[in-house]
């Protein structure tokens, strides 16, 4: 059986755009469990170059601790290459590495954090949190 090169198989399938639409992920997201959050207190998701940037704020006193802004990888769902619905962002604090993964579902952001400590002084941990958009944000 002979196969023809892809260029002879008919019209080419449409290619996904270089950067999917990330608008559903953008904004300031607030943890629904402010009293004892499982993850960051707040996530701020913005456009950055061709993708996303995430700034996380964790517990601390008297103000939430700013984890800083990092680039994030946006992901699309199978069959919808033009729209992003999730992201991952990695924070490296030296002796602690935390990966935040989140996806958008019916108006909320569901996020998991996986934290790995080096040195064996603390137990690694995983948590899931739910976020709603901050008041006044679309």
């Amino acid at each position: 059986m002979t196969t023809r090169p892809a260029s002879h198989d008919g019209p080419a399938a449409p290619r996904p755009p270089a950067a999917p639409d990330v608008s559903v992920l953008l904004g300031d997201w607030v943890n629904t469990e402010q009293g004892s959050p499982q993850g960051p207190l707040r996530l701020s998701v913005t456009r950055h170059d061709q993708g996303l940037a995430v700034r996380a704020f964790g517990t601390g006193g008297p103000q939430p601790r700013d984890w800083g802004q990092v680039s994030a990888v946006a992901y699309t769902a199978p069959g919808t290459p033009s729209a992003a619905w999730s992201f991952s962002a990695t924070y490296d604090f030296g002796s602690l590495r935390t990966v935040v993964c989140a996806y958008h579902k019916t108006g909320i952001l569901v996020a998991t954090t996986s934290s790995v400590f080096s040195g064996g002084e603390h137990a690694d941990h995983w948590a899931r949190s739910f976020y709603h958009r901050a008041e006044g944000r679309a």
Side-chain angles (χ1 to χ4, degrees), residues 27-34 37 39-45 54-59 63-68 87 91 100 109 111 113 129-135 137:
D28 290 324
W29 297 90
V30 179
N31 193 315
T32 60
E33 296 182 45
Q34 286 292 301
L41 292 170
R42 193 178 82 195
L43 297 170
S44 179
V45 183
V54 176
R55 178 172 232 109
F57 296 86
T59 58
Q63 297 294 320
R65 187 167 81 92
D66 185 349
W67 292 10
F87 67 83
Y91 290 88
V100 177
L109 198 66
T113 54
S129 306
F130 300 91
Y131 295 81
H132 61 84
R133 285 192 192 274
E135 297 270 334
R137 300 286 179 156

Side-chain angles (χ1 to χ4, degrees), residues 2-136:
T2 305
T3 58
R4 294 183 292 165
S7 62
H8 294 85
D9 286 341
R15 292 182 48 127
D21 179 12
V22 296
S23 59
V24 72
L25 301 170
L26 301 177
D28 290 324
W29 297 90
V30 179
N31 193 315
T32 60
E33 296 182 45
Q34 286 292 301
S36 60
Q38 292 292 316
L41 292 170
R42 193 178 82 195
L43 297 170
S44 179
V45 183
T46 57
R47 291 184 199 278
H48 178 69
D49 295 330
Q50 291 290 327
L52 295 175
V54 176
R55 178 172 232 109
F57 296 86
T59 58
Q63 297 294 320
R65 187 167 81 92
D66 185 349
W67 292 10
Q69 179 173 297
V70 296
S71 294
V73 177
Y75 302 99
T76 61
T80 56
S82 63
W85 73 288
S86 62
F87 67 83
S88 65
T90 302
Y91 290 88
D92 187 357
F93 301 111
S95 63
L96 170 64
R97 183 171 182 253
T98 300
V99 178
V100 177
C101 295
Y103 66 93
H104 182 266
K105 183 174 182 176
T106 61
I108 63 170
L109 198 66
V110 180
T112 63
T113 54
S114 301
S115 297
V116 177
F117 293 88
S118 62
E121 297 172 14
H122 302 281
D124 300 338
H125 59 86
W126 176 94
R128 181 177 64 178
S129 306
F130 300 91
Y131 295 81
H132 61 84
R133 285 192 192 274
E135 297 270 334

